[in-house]
Amino acid sequence: MQLTKLSSTAIAALLTTTICAIPYGALAREQKEKPAGIHQETAMPGMERSTHARPATVQVQISTTQGELIAGKEIPALLTLTDAQGQPVTFDNLQTAHTKKIHLLIIDESLTDYHHEHPVPTGKPGEYSFTFRPKNGGSYVVFADLLPTATGKQEYAKTQVEVQGDKKSLDEAAGTTAIVDGYRFDLSAEGGNSLRLGESKLVKVKVTKPDGQPADILEPVMGAFAHGVGFPSDRSSVVHVHPMGVEPEKESERGGPDLSFHIIPDKEGYMKFYVQVQIDGRDRFAGFGFNVEKEEPTTAPAMTTTTAQLSDEQNKFLNQYESIHTALAADDFTAAKKAAQEMTTLNKGQKMAAGNIAGSESIKSAREAFKTLSAEAVKIVSNESGYFVMACPMVENGKWIQTTKKVSNPYLGGAMPSCGSVVK
């Protein structure tokens, strides 16, 4: 079979992270989701997942069997997956991530034409087929969302294809309303619709039927009632989040009309955010625009700096607390236990918490004990300047302290290092 190459070299891209990659079900396995409706600042109403990926170990290439890709025309396409040694990556070499082994996230230059495709094996090792109908001409970036068995870690392999036809220029409209097949999607965000680089923000989307009634008919799509995917204007990375709340366990379950997402952008400038839902067996994609502002500068002192208001013992406790915090944020279980064993405590509560971390049998239990230790640290710095109390909406009672506003999450570590914001 004669193939026409659309991209001769696949780009195995490192997507700069504010939130690192995590297999889609991993957080849910580690932290059971709670019923929706609990106020998100005081309890965890559910689990959203926001994903940027680690360096890709799989390389991708897109080709066709029927000539070039042409705008407006559906053409069968082939996806080829190979490893670093050029060997084919077979279906058995991949794990299922949210009901599928391969997710292709495809976006055009204007950020107005987004596709989510699922290639299937052709029978030839490392080769997978799918169909694709691009609306516009120009370049389309393709992110292959994969979970290789060899690494057990989610990654995005990135490539680019060219489509013949009229190009559409980048549309940086900051829209908060989208109409798709008569369904209305209204977006609102806490404190306005702008986002800040590296900071988590709660975004809500309400879905309304064509007759004006609430759309409480959202069907399960890939294990969730919706998916949120965001692209910066340069299409260098992708943000993938799921709505908060309990995820469906049966195909007969229905969600909506209200969806809530926590978004942490990784690039300054314009970002297009798509919400994907399924109604009557059909996928609907509603697009919204955000302006991502610069990261807020901080001038707080390092944790090792002492203050006149704190005693030597308190400063020593805080410095040792920071050692545990740093270890947990780096997923270094051994270092966290060692730091807890060496910790100088000032009261029974601190001693018990440090002892629980030192004696923990898993990083999960160490992080749970760190919540108690953090509560003690918050008390110490409650009236001190130069310390920030942080919280992560994805972790119940997940507070901790830092001396910088740049989030370093000790509860989710490398999975989502930037999930959180300053609460005090």
Side-chain angles (χ1 to χ4, degrees):
M1 177 167 45
Q2 183 67 31
L3 300 182
T4 300
K5 288 189 178 180
L6 296 174
S7 177
S8 61
T9 304
I11 306 168
L14 167 60
L15 305 180
T16 305
T17 77
T18 55
I19 316 165
C20 214
I22 185 166
Y24 283 132
L27 279 177
R29 289 193 296 269
E30 211 172 281
Q31 215 166 358
K32 188 173 177 62
E33 298 184 272
K34 301 186 180 199
I38 302 174
H39 193 277
Q40 79 99 25
E41 289 183 353
T42 58
M44 181 175 152
M47 187 76 63
E48 51 85 11
R49 293 162 192 79
S50 186
T51 317
H52 301 257
R54 304 184 184 206
T57 62
V58 177
Q59 299 183 9
V60 300
Q61 181 173 291
I62 305 291
S63 57
T64 71
T65 60
Q66 298 180 10
E68 298 176 319
L69 283 174
I70 300 173
K73 182 179 180 180
E74 185 171 78
I75 296 180
L78 294 176
L79 168 74
T80 302
L81 301 180
T82 55
D83 62 19
Q85 288 72 46
Q87 296 300 309
V89 176
T90 68
F91 217 46
D92 289 339
N93 297 144
L94 300 171
Q95 297 180 30
T96 298
H98 245 267
T99 75
K100 303 292 182 181
K101 288 194 174 186
I102 303 174
H103 299 261
L104 293 187
L105 311 179
I106 308 172
I107 188 71
D108 76 322
E109 295 179 33
S110 69
L111 302 184
T112 61
D113 188 24
Y114 168 59
H115 300 253
H116 188 154
E117 307 292 347
H118 302 111
V120 296
T122 64
K124 179 180 178 180
E127 185 180 85
Y128 307 88
S129 64
F130 67 101
T131 57
F132 174 45
R133 185 192 294 272
K135 292 181 180 178
N136 307 314
S139 71
Y140 277 71
V141 169
V142 181
F143 294 92
D145 185 354
L146 309 167
L147 182 56
T149 302
T151 63
K153 297 176 182 178
Q154 184 189 9
E155 62 181 59
Y156 287 107
K158 178 184 173 187
T159 191
Q160 186 168 304
V161 299
E162 292 296 325
V163 177
Q164 300 302 310
D166 294 335
K167 295 184 180 181
K168 189 174 181 180
S169 60
L170 176 63
D171 182 1
E172 295 191 357
T176 58
T177 298
I179 306 295
V180 183
D181 298 332
Y183 290 89
R184 181 185 176 102
F185 295 75
D186 289 295
L187 179 144
S188 61
E190 292 181 334
N193 290 328
S194 64
L195 305 178
R196 189 175 294 278
L197 180 65
E199 292 187 10
S200 174
K201 189 160 190 175
L202 179 64
V203 172
K204 298 181 179 181
V205 176
K206 185 178 184 65
V207 188
T208 307
K209 296 178 182 178
D211 62 3
Q213 296 300 306
D216 54 356
I217 55 173
L218 305 185
E219 301 162 359
V221 52
M222 294 173 287
F225 285 123
H227 293 259
V229 175
F231 302 95
S233 58
D234 64 1
R235 302 180 293 170
S236 62
S237 60
V238 58
V239 176
H240 184 181
V241 295
H242 294 172
M244 302 176 70
V246 176
E247 293 188 338
E249 296 182 356
K250 299 178 181 178
E251 287 299 316
S252 59
E253 295 183 45
R254 295 293 179 265
D258 298 306
L259 303 167
S260 295
F261 303 88
H262 272 281
I263 303 175
I264 307 178
D266 69 340
K267 295 279 291 187
E268 179 187 341
Y270 183 74
M271 184 178 81
K272 191 65 173 282
F273 182 70
Y274 283 92
V275 173
Q276 177 183 359
V277 301
Q278 182 174 291
I279 302 173
D280 294 333
R282 287 184 54 203
D283 289 332
R284 268 81 173 183
F285 299 89
F288 307 95
F290 286 102
N291 178 52
V292 180
E293 299 175 353
K294 291 182 180 180
E295 187 174 11
E296 186 175 354
T298 60
T299 57
M303 187 72 82
T304 54
T305 299
T306 61
T307 62
Q309 293 83 2
L310 298 178
S311 67
D312 290 343
E313 290 78 10
Q314 287 174 322
N315 278 307
K316 187 174 182 180
F317 169 81
L318 291 174
N319 290 338
Q320 292 171 324
Y321 168 90
E322 174 60 13
S323 296
I324 300 173
H325 164 228
T326 300
L328 292 176
D331 297 320
D332 193 337
F333 179 42
T334 301
K337 286 168 62 76
K338 184 176 184 296
Q341 290 168 352
E342 299 172 351
M343 189 167 209
T344 300
T345 54
L346 308 177
N347 58 45
K348 186 176 180 180
Q350 295 172 9
K351 182 177 181 180
M352 181 176 295
N356 287 339
I357 296 173
S360 57
E361 296 183 355
S362 68
I363 196 167
K364 177 182 176 182
S365 59
R367 283 170 168 153
E368 191 65 30
F370 187 70
K371 293 179 182 179
T372 303
L373 199 66
S374 292
E376 294 289 332
V378 170
K379 292 178 186 177
I380 292 175
V381 304
S382 60
N383 296 316
E384 301 297 322
S385 61
Y387 294 94
F388 301 104
V389 179
M390 318 294 289
C392 172
M394 291 185 64
V395 181
E396 186 175 5
N397 299 321
K399 291 184 177 180
W400 73 96
I401 66 168
Q402 296 183 181
T403 58
T404 173
K405 290 184 180 180
K406 185 174 178 61
V407 181
S408 177
N409 191 314
Y411 300 112
L412 300 179
M416 299 183 71
S418 295
C419 182
S421 59
V422 177
V423 295
K424 183 177 177 182

